[in-house]
Amino acid sequence: ILNVEQSPQSLHVQEGDSTNFTCSFPSSNFYALHWYRWETAKSPEALFVMTLNGDEKKKGRISATLNTKEGYSYLYIKGSQPEDSATYLCAFRFNKFYFGSGTKLNVKP
Amino acid sequence: DVKVTQSSRYLVKRTGEKVFLECVQDMDHENMFWYRQDPGLGLRLIYFSYDVKMKEKGDIPEGYSVSREKKERFSLILESASTNQTSMYLCASSRGQGVRNTEAFFGQGTRLTVV
């Protein structure tokens, strides 16, 4: 079993706040690191797939960075909106997908 | 529009019943997965299939089996349902390991309650 850890487990922020989450994963035999957003009553959807050390990806107000040598990735949300409320999952891909337990974000209007 | 479809959204079964959860994908993906999601535990892999008739145990295979007779369909079987199998079950599919920049696509989930 590969250990993928996410922190914090949950986060409550006000609309307009910026926030970030951490995903740590095994630094050896790196293949790919994924971020997914999982909204209530919907399926998880991919935000980013990152494969290279130093990768930075951006989608609107959300961005992610990757450090494969030390085994961590950060997800940033700038100016959080209520529609950003969801569980954010990271997954380490090594043949299979190994998921962390997620960070549950609640953005209050 | 890519799709992974699970046969039921909600299911209630009795202890001891044999339960079938079906998953179909229309993307010609090589890999298919079954996960269960429990509060605080994230997504835990039950079984993984990388080709027709090929399967690998995940982290929590006990009490489950799978079947992949066709590329598009991956079935999860609870041989004798127990109350500790009450959970949300998610099916996913993806391209094979050789395609590095590929994501997983998920079904809508089946919330199974065993009474």
Side-chain angles (χ1 to χ4, degrees):
Chain A
I1 298 176
L2 291 177
N3 206 26
V4 179
E5 294 185 357
Q6 289 187 248
S7 61
Q9 201 168 33
S10 65
L11 206 48
H12 297 262
V13 301
Q14 289 293 137
E15 183 175 353
D17 288 350
S18 292
T19 187
N20 65 84
F21 326 133
T22 304
C23 173
S24 62
F25 53 86
S27 55
S28 57
N29 296 315
F30 180 81
Y31 187 74
L33 192 283
H34 297 219
W35 282 100
Y36 292 83
R37 175 165 60 201
W38 192 3
E39 296 177 70
T40 304
K42 293 186 177 179
S43 310
E45 287 187 351
L47 285 169
F48 305 114
V49 177
M50 307 172 82
T51 58
L52 297 173
N53 184 43
D55 253 355
E56 291 190 26
K57 302 260 183 174
K58 190 172 182 185
K59 189 180 282 190
R61 293 178 291 99
I62 305 176
S63 60
T65 61
L66 178 68
N67 183 324
T68 61
K69 294 188 187 309
E70 295 181 39
Y72 64 83
S73 175
Y74 295 134
L75 188 79
Y76 302 91
I77 302 179
K78 187 177 176 183
S80 303
Q81 300 296 309
E83 58 265 30
D84 295 329
S85 297
T87 296
Y88 291 83
L89 296 167
C90 75
F92 177 80
R93 184 166 189 198
F94 186 72
N95 195 14
K96 308 163 199 172
F97 292 86
Y98 296 89
F99 284 86
S101 55
T103 293
K104 189 169 184 177
L105 175 67
N106 182 35
V107 183
K108 298 177 188 176
Chain B
D1 198 22
V2 296
K3 258 198 179 152
V4 179
T5 305
Q6 294 182 227
S7 51
S8 306
R9 195 74 190 255
Y10 299 95
L11 215 49
V12 179
K13 294 292 180 180
R14 294 194 179 278
T15 301
E17 272 194 81
K18 191 167 186 175
V19 181
F20 293 86
L21 302 183
E22 306 286 347
C23 176
V24 177
Q25 51 96 3
D26 64 0
M27 296 165 280
D28 201 36
H29 282 169
E30 294 83 7
N31 293 347
M32 295 188 76
F33 310 84
W34 274 107
Y35 290 91
R36 65 177 278 179
Q37 192 259 343
D38 300 289
L41 295 177
L43 293 177
R44 292 183 294 166
L45 182 64
I46 305 171
Y47 266 99
F48 159 55
S49 170
Y50 52 91
D51 203 348
V52 175
K53 296 189 189 293
M54 306 305 285
K55 62 187 178 186
E56 272 187 30
K57 291 181 181 179
D59 301 328
I60 50 165
E62 297 78 20
Y64 303 95
S65 62
V66 289
S67 171
R68 193 163 179 205
E69 297 297 317
K70 293 185 178 181
K71 191 175 186 181
E72 66 269 21
R73 186 180 295 271
F74 191 35
S75 304
L76 180 71
I77 303 152
L78 284 66
E79 298 291 342
S80 176
S82 64
T83 53
N84 62 12
Q85 293 178 309
T86 291
S87 187
M88 168 72 87
Y89 290 86
L90 278 167
C91 174
S93 72
S94 77
R95 295 285 303 278
Q97 178 74 352
V99 184
R100 194 172 181 183
N101 225 5
T102 182
E103 65 208 72
F105 293 86
F106 286 86
Q108 75 276 27
T110 297
R111 186 162 291 283
L112 173 68
T113 303
V114 182
V115 298

